[in-house]
Amino acid sequence: MSILLSIVMPAYNEEECIELVVEQWTGMLDRQFPADNTRLIVINDGSKDRTGEILDQIKGKYPKLFVVHQKNGGHGNAVVNGYRQAVALDSEYVFQTDSDDQFVTDDFMKLWAKRHDSPFILGYRQVRHDAGARLIITRILQYSIATIYGTFISDSNIPFRLIKGSFLKKLLAQLPDPEPFAPNIFLAVMAKKAGCNLFDIPIVHKERQTGTVSILKWKLLKVCMQSFRELARFRLDLNRKVKAIRQPEPVTTL
């Protein structure tokens, strides 16, 4: 049976809110797509707390929930693993969000309403409730992308994005090797340069009520510099990769 929509959600040390977030997003799927086959794919990224245990305990309670456990590889690695799981399920659409309960499920429909207008759609945290250092680094990334690639993306790394499954498969095939620290940025850049209208739809971003942010202060600056270097190197291959993404899908005959 084909999958209309898969939601990809990385999770790391979110024992305080993971069941609530699963309930919220599976509830949204039940309300908006009662007759369709949908999935919530949660990638437990080697959590050190009870996140993985809780996910295993509640699987039977939420039939749409699909849990994958992996060794800790970081947020970006967990996201890509989730994307690959969704593509393997032949999902028509793939949506990605985070497990920290900072987003509102109702905002999903703003992106869903545009699904026929673009194969790659982003939300945009117009009012962002994060630490000041993260806001500054987001601004640095905005201008880095504008400088390196000649294009402006409001929130290139946002974990609130809707992608057509067949287009995501093409994007994943063009990710640089080794896998970048923040692959969502590279996917957004490739989609933009391939001519997609990303829309940058304003969405609600709530203050974090539970857990802790895993990347702070000097580590955050180090990550920013790493991402800048990766983006600069990727510039050399971008035209070739965009050309591959723009290739029409092969027509299969029965």
Side-chain angles (χ1 to χ4, degrees):
M1 184 181 296
S2 63
I3 306 292
L4 173 64
L5 170 67
S6 287
I7 297 176
V8 169
M9 179 183 291
Y12 178 73
N13 290 353
E14 298 288 0
E15 64 179 7
E16 296 179 72
C17 68
I18 190 62
E19 182 169 3
L20 172 63
V21 174
V22 167
E23 180 183 7
Q24 290 171 344
W25 285 100
T26 56
M28 185 280 292
L29 292 175
D30 289 338
R31 291 192 307 274
Q32 300 293 346
F33 307 97
D36 297 302
N37 195 9
T38 57
R39 292 286 186 276
L40 171 61
I41 304 171
V42 180
I43 309 295
N44 173 37
D45 185 34
S47 296
K48 297 178 181 178
D49 64 0
R50 295 183 60 251
T51 297
E53 179 184 342
I54 292 170
L55 287 168
D56 285 339
Q57 288 175 349
I58 65 177
K59 280 190 296 187
K61 186 177 177 181
Y62 301 100
K64 294 180 183 293
L65 174 62
F66 182 68
V67 179
V68 177
H69 299 284
Q70 68 171 39
K71 292 181 179 179
N72 181 250
H75 182 276
N77 177 261
V79 168
V80 170
N81 188 6
Y83 284 150
R84 297 194 191 284
Q85 296 282 342
V87 167
L89 289 172
D90 197 24
S91 305
E92 186 174 353
Y93 291 95
V94 180
F95 176 74
Q96 193 261 313
T97 190
D98 275 353
S99 57
D100 53 12
D101 194 27
Q102 288 192 267
F103 294 102
V104 177
T105 58
D106 288 347
D107 280 341
F108 166 81
M109 297 308 295
K110 297 178 183 178
L111 278 64
W112 186 251
K114 296 284 189 181
R115 69 190 182 280
H116 298 307
D117 298 326
S118 174
F120 194 103
I121 303 168
L122 293 181
Y124 167 53
R125 293 168 283 197
Q126 194 169 19
V127 178
R128 185 171 175 180
H129 294 283
D130 277 330
R134 282 180 169 260
L135 301 181
I136 292 171
I137 287 176
T138 295
R139 185 59 57 88
I140 291 172
L141 284 173
Q142 284 178 339
Y143 288 106
S144 296
I145 291 170
T147 300
I148 297 170
Y149 297 107
T151 190
F152 185 83
I153 303 175
S154 298
D155 202 347
S156 62
N157 200 33
I158 187 172
F160 206 92
R161 54 185 60 209
L162 179 67
I163 313 171
K164 190 173 181 180
S166 57
F167 189 65
L168 176 60
K169 185 176 182 179
K170 287 184 174 185
L171 291 173
L172 291 173
Q174 301 305 322
L175 271 178
D177 186 23
E179 187 179 285
F181 176 82
N184 267 342
I185 297 176
F186 290 80
L187 298 182
V189 168
M190 288 191 289
K192 181 78 170 181
K193 299 302 283 188
C196 296
N197 185 349
L198 308 189
F199 286 105
D200 295 320
I201 298 172
I203 60 167
V204 174
H205 187 243
K206 303 186 296 182
E207 291 188 25
R208 187 180 180 99
Q209 300 297 320
T210 62
T212 58
V213 178
S214 58
I215 302 177
L216 292 169
K217 297 180 180 179
W218 289 111
K219 186 177 180 182
L220 194 60
L221 180 60
K222 182 179 178 181
V223 163
C224 182
M225 295 303 297
Q226 177 183 342
S227 295
F228 181 85
R229 289 193 296 269
E230 290 174 343
L231 286 166
R233 286 196 299 268
F234 187 63
R235 179 68 182 87
L236 301 174
D237 296 325
L238 181 62
N239 289 339
R240 175 176 57 83
K241 290 180 177 294
V242 168
K243 184 177 180 180
I245 292 167
R246 285 175 171 167
Q247 288 292 321
E249 297 177 23
V251 177
T252 57
T253 56
L254 298 178

